[in-house]
Amino acid sequence: MSTQRSSLSYLKWPLITTVLGLGLTGWLGWATKGDLGGIMSFLMVGAVLAALEIALSFDNAIVNANKLDEMTPVWQQRFLTWGILIAVFGMRIVFPLAIVAIFAWINPFAAMHLALADPDEYSRIIGQAHGPISAFGGTFLMMVALKFFIDEDKSIDWIEILEKRLRVWGSIRGFEIAFVLVIVLMISRSLPIQDVAPFLTSAVMGLLVFTMVEGLGTYLDNMAGSAAEIGAKGGLGAFLYLEVLDASFSFDGVIGAFALTTNILLIAIGLGIGAMYVRSMTIMLVERGSLAEFRYLEHGAFYSIFALSIVMFLQSIVHVHELITGGIGMVLIALAFYASINHNKRET
């Protein structure tokens, strides 16, 4: 019973957020439509958006937990407080507004007015930006996945025949960058000529941002000073890395949300509810040490990240349904979880 109560305690804030969020969603439906049908339709879309966010971001929670485990308690708490605020308000509200402001050449206040007064036009502009966004997110996430597998110090392999070879290739300087650039060039050859330049520019930006964040984290970790200062600065580097990573994970969910509704407030509420569950999953994984207990769970998450990066690249050419994207990630993580349990049984 104590284990069950402990598990339920992680759901305290997500459940509170769900009740408040769905209540606000119902009120928004009434204010928009003025009838019971409007309330029910808004509640349904809000619930689907929350479920979509959870499905797409479960691998994000695993990667966050792995990085948080290396951070000092102070920086862990900062990420779990400030980080969630940035994730909910920054990526779910500010990010779509910034896209519209950039692509429509209007100021953010005009973008907010457009989102509320003409949501269809707002959604159209977001759709136009899908290709460059996918290029940036796909490049960043593929680099994240390859950085994990192409690591000569990595000692645990799940799919040995593949991962051992990747570690050998890791000795080739810049292999992962060359690999990503080949993928980017292959995808760009399938695009209409007018979309090639924005796609390549966004992909290079994703590569630069990853390199800068990785370099900053390494620089801060290696700076001279006391152990406390090094830990704090290393925490800052990890914090920045996680924020950019969370942003890349959020691209797919935010873009996919516009397929369900063009109401930016409804999108923010639905995805915000899902983000709270992801935060709680991250905390549970850290506090319970689940990544150490299930040795291949992290591998499943990074395979899922690699698959998501491929999907994001493909979305520049064809539409891939968000349920497929989330389903691939869940299947890979479930297989890794099953393999971990089998390994533990053999060990005992």
Side-chain angles (χ1 to χ4, degrees):
M1 182 66 70
S2 59
T3 302
Q4 184 180 6
R5 284 198 300 269
S6 178
S7 299
L8 290 176
S9 68
Y10 291 104
L11 297 177
K12 175 184 175 182
W13 286 108
L15 290 174
I16 292 174
T17 304
T18 300
V19 172
L20 294 176
L22 291 180
L24 187 58
T25 297
W27 173 84
L28 190 62
W30 174 262
T32 304
K33 302 290 186 179
D35 54 24
L36 182 61
I39 295 175
M40 296 306 297
S41 65
F42 270 56
L43 284 173
M44 182 176 297
V45 172
V48 171
L49 286 172
L52 176 67
E53 177 70 9
I54 294 171
L56 289 173
S57 299
F58 189 77
D59 46 3
N60 191 10
I62 296 174
V63 177
N64 285 350
N66 175 59
K67 200 70 177 178
L68 280 170
D69 198 42
E70 303 172 359
M71 296 168 68
T72 62
V74 172
W75 278 101
Q76 285 183 3
Q77 190 59 38
R78 286 172 179 171
F79 175 76
L80 293 172
T81 51
W82 300 349
I84 195 65
L85 290 175
I86 295 173
V88 173
F89 295 103
M91 285 307 302
R92 277 73 183 181
I93 298 178
V94 177
F95 170 64
L97 290 174
I99 292 174
V100 173
I102 292 170
F103 279 82
W105 289 95
I106 57 178
N107 64 63
F109 296 103
M112 173 64 81
H113 180 267
L114 183 65
L116 298 175
D118 192 355
D120 290 335
E121 176 64 13
Y122 181 86
S123 176
R124 186 189 67 80
I125 296 173
I126 289 287
Q128 285 183 334
H130 194 184
I133 292 170
S134 297
F136 180 94
T139 301
F140 187 90
L141 290 178
M142 186 171 285
M143 286 296 297
V144 168
L146 291 176
K147 191 72 175 179
F148 174 78
F149 290 112
I150 303 177
D151 183 358
E152 294 180 90
D153 297 327
K154 180 170 161 286
S155 57
I156 298 175
D157 296 324
W158 175 25
I159 305 177
E160 293 187 4
I161 191 172
L162 173 61
E163 294 177 33
K164 284 184 177 179
R165 291 181 178 178
L166 287 173
R167 285 211 310 276
V168 173
W169 293 338
S171 61
I172 304 174
R173 187 177 180 87
F175 172 81
E176 62 271 29
I177 295 176
F179 182 90
V180 172
L181 288 177
V182 168
I183 299 295
V184 167
L185 290 174
M186 289 173 59
I187 296 294
S188 68
R189 291 178 63 87
S190 303
L191 297 174
I193 188 65
Q194 68 272 15
D195 296 335
V196 172
F199 179 86
L200 291 176
T201 301
S202 298
V204 171
M205 287 299 297
L207 191 60
L208 286 175
V209 170
F210 176 85
T211 304
M212 290 171 61
V213 172
E214 275 283 300
L216 179 61
T218 302
Y219 171 73
L220 292 174
D221 283 339
N222 294 330
M223 282 185 67
S226 67
E229 289 174 336
I230 293 174
K233 291 169 182 174
L236 175 61
F239 180 89
L240 294 174
Y241 175 85
L242 286 175
E243 286 304 321
V244 177
L245 182 63
D246 181 75
S248 298
F249 272 107
S250 301
F251 290 156
D252 204 51
V254 172
I255 297 296
F258 282 93
L260 298 173
T261 178
T262 56
N263 190 305
I264 188 173
L265 298 178
L266 180 55
I267 289 173
I269 294 170
L271 297 183
I273 292 172
M276 288 300 296
Y277 283 92
V278 174
R279 175 185 182 272
S280 294
M281 284 190 286
T282 300
I283 296 173
M284 184 174 68
L285 289 170
V286 172
E287 293 184 352
R288 292 191 168 188
S290 299
L291 293 181
E293 182 180 354
F294 302 104
R295 60 189 277 135
Y296 301 131
L297 197 59
E298 187 179 7
H299 294 66
F302 280 99
Y303 276 117
S304 176
I305 292 172
F306 186 83
L308 177 58
S309 70
I310 293 293
V311 168
M312 293 192 76
F313 280 135
L314 290 177
Q315 283 180 339
S316 301
I317 306 172
V318 296
H319 174 69
V320 181
H321 198 281
E322 289 72 29
L323 292 179
I324 296 177
T325 306
I328 292 173
M330 295 296 286
V331 167
L332 288 169
I333 290 172
L335 290 173
F337 182 74
Y338 179 74
S340 301
I341 293 176
N342 282 342
H343 176 272
N344 292 342
K345 287 180 178 179
R346 290 195 301 268
E347 289 294 307
T348 54

